[in-house]
Amino acid sequence: KSKYQLDSHLATAISSPLYSVLKKLDLGSELERSECEWLKQQNLSRLIAIDRERKDKRFFAELKDKYKATQHQSLDPSNHLFLILKKLAISEITASSISKELKESIDDVGFQISEKDIRWLSEKRFFETVAIARQIHFRTLKTKYQIVGNLLIDPFYEIMLKLEREERLDSMQVVQLMDERRLSRHGKIAIAYYRLEAIFYEKEYQRTGNRWNLPSASSNWRKANKPERALKATEDVNWNKVQESDLKAALLVTRGAAFRDLSRLDKAERCAAEAMECQAESHQPYTLMGAIYYDRGEYLKGDKWFKMAAERGADDIDDEIERIVRMTKDKDKRREAAKYLLQKDPDRYSWAMAYGA
């Protein structure tokens, strides 16, 4: 008690929990959680701090060895390197299998490794640690963006880093990756990409006043699964001031498509009809009308509209029909649409078998 400046503490018997705690501290042994709880009840936080520092030093040494940072000599737990190494461990190991020391440290750290942490390691010349950290961070981002299976770190790590920084991606690269089926058109990366594109076009409209940015913003909000934002992007348009028929048609089509996303099919149909009046030779309003009638289960009428769209240059009708079926939330309606398509042409629409026809 004297050594640890506890002469005033009321405990005097060697049967007291305090005696057991002080013996452990004197031997350099770790305290149990129950002992730390008892110390907390006794307001003996200084003893808890001594135990915590010793545990942290041991844990720091283990982490330095594991993550190849042994050139750093100090074991001071206040060093920023210790925080980063703990983040690495938390990012790498699932909560069910982490060590006791890490479990006790998680509450203090509370988050995972970041690009900023990796940059700090690089600046401090922990190059082996950087290589490990990049791989761990890559796996963490794969989990965040719900990517299952093998994925090459190049170019996807840099793509996900840009998304984390809220930076726009190279659209040509994204389209190429989608065409090569290396990137899902409907996955988390694509959704994040479309969201950033939508924000960019909204800002461009605010900066320039160019109304052509509005259909681009609205279209990207739809692809980002935000139809309400897509409608908001076009709701303040002064239609009387839109003189260009092609612009008006583009605004009406994207607005109608957003209404369709929200199952407001009557409003969607009105937008499609108005767009046809503005630009009768554009295939987009006809494609939209075909999709609306498929949503209603009126497939023959939908096919007539799709045929008119194809006559006006639409070359992705089958892709649009597949998307309609895939995005149908009602299982019975999805099965009904798939059955219709397979009866119509089982070879052309063989993909419909996947929807339980």
Side-chain angles (χ1 to χ4, degrees):
K1 284 173 61 178
S2 178
K3 178 176 180 178
Y4 289 97
Q5 300 175 17
L6 295 171
D7 292 323
S8 61
H9 195 275
L10 295 177
T12 56
I14 60 173
S15 59
S16 166
L18 181 60
Y19 182 48
S20 173
V21 165
L22 293 179
K23 280 200 300 181
K24 279 191 171 183
L25 289 177
D26 217 36
L27 292 170
S29 302
E30 293 183 7
L31 299 183
E32 300 294 334
R33 184 178 293 274
S34 59
E35 292 170 320
C36 290
E37 288 296 324
W38 184 84
L39 290 173
K40 190 182 294 184
Q41 293 169 4
Q42 299 295 310
N43 293 319
L44 297 175
S45 57
R46 193 171 62 82
L47 299 184
I48 298 174
I50 292 171
D51 178 64
R52 178 74 267 163
E53 183 176 9
R54 289 177 177 175
K55 288 176 179 175
D56 283 345
K57 285 182 176 180
R58 281 192 286 270
F59 191 35
F60 195 1
E62 292 174 14
L63 292 177
K64 285 200 300 180
D65 184 60
K66 180 177 181 179
Y67 295 114
K68 311 298 183 185
T70 50
Q71 69 265 44
H72 182 78
Q73 299 299 315
S74 171
L75 287 175
D76 182 359
S78 65
N79 189 280
H80 191 61
L81 177 63
F82 184 40
L83 174 65
I84 291 179
L85 296 182
K86 284 199 289 185
K87 287 184 184 182
L88 274 176
I90 291 168
S91 300
E92 183 181 29
I93 311 172
T94 61
S96 61
S97 63
I98 57 178
S99 65
K100 178 179 68 175
E101 293 86 350
L102 187 53
K103 282 182 179 178
E104 293 174 356
S105 302
I106 284 178
D107 291 340
D108 297 329
V109 180
F111 43 88
Q112 296 182 327
I113 197 71
S114 69
E115 184 184 12
K116 181 181 177 182
D117 297 323
I118 296 173
R119 194 161 49 243
W120 184 91
L121 290 169
S122 183
E123 289 169 356
K124 301 299 181 183
R125 306 181 70 80
F126 292 101
F127 297 128
E128 287 186 279
T129 312
V130 167
I132 297 170
R134 280 170 55 85
Q135 290 291 341
I136 293 172
H137 192 214
F138 179 50
R139 291 198 294 271
T140 300
L141 292 177
K142 279 178 60 180
T143 300
K144 176 177 179 178
Y145 289 99
Q146 297 181 355
I147 297 170
V148 180
N150 294 327
L151 191 71
L152 295 176
I153 194 168
D154 182 36
F156 294 100
Y157 183 49
E158 185 58 36
I159 285 174
M160 290 187 285
L161 286 180
K162 282 187 175 182
L163 294 176
E164 291 296 290
R165 301 182 207 125
E166 296 278 291
E167 292 179 12
R168 291 178 74 204
L169 303 182
D170 180 341
S171 59
M172 290 183 65
Q173 182 188 39
V174 171
V175 170
Q176 181 180 346
L177 290 170
M178 288 179 178
D179 288 344
E180 294 172 355
R181 299 187 181 275
R182 296 171 65 195
L183 183 62
S184 168
R185 295 179 183 275
H186 314 288
K188 290 281 187 177
I189 289 180
I191 289 171
Y193 161 71
Y194 293 131
R195 172 183 164 274
L196 290 175
E197 289 296 290
I199 292 170
F200 168 78
Y201 284 112
E202 284 186 339
K203 289 181 177 178
E204 280 297 287
Y205 171 68
Q206 294 165 4
R207 185 178 69 85
T208 66
N210 185 342
R211 285 191 289 261
W212 273 106
N213 288 302
L214 293 177
S216 295
S218 179
S219 176
N220 279 290
W221 278 126
R222 286 188 60 239
K223 292 174 184 176
N225 296 332
K226 297 289 184 183
E228 297 89 351
R229 291 290 300 267
L231 283 176
K232 188 174 181 181
T234 57
E235 69 182 4
D236 294 329
V237 171
N238 186 336
W239 297 98
N240 294 325
K241 289 187 176 182
V242 181
Q243 302 299 321
E244 308 97 314
S245 60
D246 53 349
L247 172 59
K248 193 169 186 177
L251 287 165
L252 286 164
V253 166
T254 190
R255 190 165 175 79
F259 278 127
R260 179 181 160 256
D261 292 339
L262 295 166
S263 299
R264 297 163 70 178
L265 299 183
D266 289 344
K267 286 197 171 188
E269 184 175 1
R270 284 198 291 273
C271 286
E274 288 181 42
M276 289 177 195
E277 292 176 11
C278 295
Q279 205 172 25
E281 292 310 308
S282 170
H283 66 81
Q284 292 176 329
Y286 297 86
T287 301
L288 173 58
M289 198 70 88
I292 291 167
Y293 275 93
Y294 258 65
D295 287 345
R296 288 172 173 161
E298 299 180 47
Y299 306 115
L300 290 174
K301 288 184 179 179
D303 285 340
K304 290 180 181 178
W305 286 111
F306 283 134
K307 182 181 178 182
M308 285 188 276
E311 290 169 351
R312 288 162 174 78
D315 58 2
D316 58 350
I317 295 301
D318 285 355
D319 289 340
E320 179 64 24
I321 290 173
E322 193 277 333
R323 194 184 76 84
I324 292 166
V325 175
R326 175 171 43 80
M327 298 299 289
T328 300
K329 295 177 182 177
D330 188 305
K331 289 183 179 179
D332 291 334
K333 285 186 176 181
R334 190 164 62 232
R335 191 179 299 111
E336 179 187 283
K339 182 179 180 181
Y340 166 77
L341 291 167
L342 286 168
Q343 288 176 345
K344 178 182 172 183
D345 192 330
D347 293 328
R348 181 177 176 181
Y349 302 110
S350 58
W351 50 261
M353 289 294 295
Y355 298 99

